[in-house]
Structure formats: structure tokens, C-alpha cells
């Protein structure tokens, strides 16, 4: 795994926007299942397609905060 979003999803199963005062979260519609590394890859691709990213400071950003 070389993708931070993928690594976070592998460990936490969801993403939470880390911008100040934002409460947005991304939860992949597919239930987590083994093999987890493959699930995390699919989840990270879906998150990226929805506009989620890692900001220049290394924090997770939802589509609204990343814009």
C-alpha cells in the first residue's frame, strides 16, 4: 500500500475530514471484507472519485474542503 487514503481506510474503514470545523465523513458503501487490502484499494478509488484527497499539509480533506 502506497496510498495514504488506502492505508487509512485499511485501518479505520472510513475517512473523516480533518479540516477545522468540518464533520464530513466518507464510508464506502461496500461492507469491509477480506482480503482487506483489496477492499481498501476499491474504497480509496471511490473516495477519490467523490473528491476526497490528502491536502498539502497531509490532512484528509472532503470534496468541499478540498475545493
Amino acid at each position: 500500500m502506497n496510498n495514504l487514503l488506502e492505508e487509512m481506510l485499511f485501518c479505520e474503514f472510513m475517512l473523516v475530514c480533518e479540516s477545522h470545523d468540518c464533520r464530513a465523513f466518507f464510508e464506502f458503501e461496500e461492507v469491509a471484507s477480506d482480503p482487506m487490502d483489496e477492499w481498501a484499494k476499491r474504497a480509496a478509488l471511490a473516495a477519490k472519485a467523490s473528491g476526497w484527497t490528502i491536502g498539502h499539509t497531509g490532512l484528509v480533506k472532503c470534496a468541499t474542503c478540498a475545493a
Side-chain angles (χ1 to χ4, degrees):
M1 262 183 268
N2 59 359
N3 178 307
L4 188 54
L5 288 178
E6 188 178 320
E7 290 176 20
M8 293 182 81
L9 284 159
F10 182 85
C11 295
E12 301 176 21
F13 308 114
M14 65 184 296
L15 299 172
V16 176
C17 185
E18 298 176 325
S19 294
H20 182 67
D21 287 338
C22 184
R23 301 202 191 307
F25 68 93
F26 174 83
E27 191 169 16
F28 191 37
E29 60 190 33
E30 180 185 322
V31 175
S33 60
D34 285 328
M36 282 302 297
D37 58 333
E38 292 178 15
W39 177 89
K41 285 180 185 177
R42 292 191 301 275
L45 287 173
K48 286 182 185 178
S50 298
W52 285 76
T53 189
I54 301 295
H56 70 279
T57 60
L59 299 177
V60 175
K61 303 283 185 174
C62 69
T64 302
C65 294

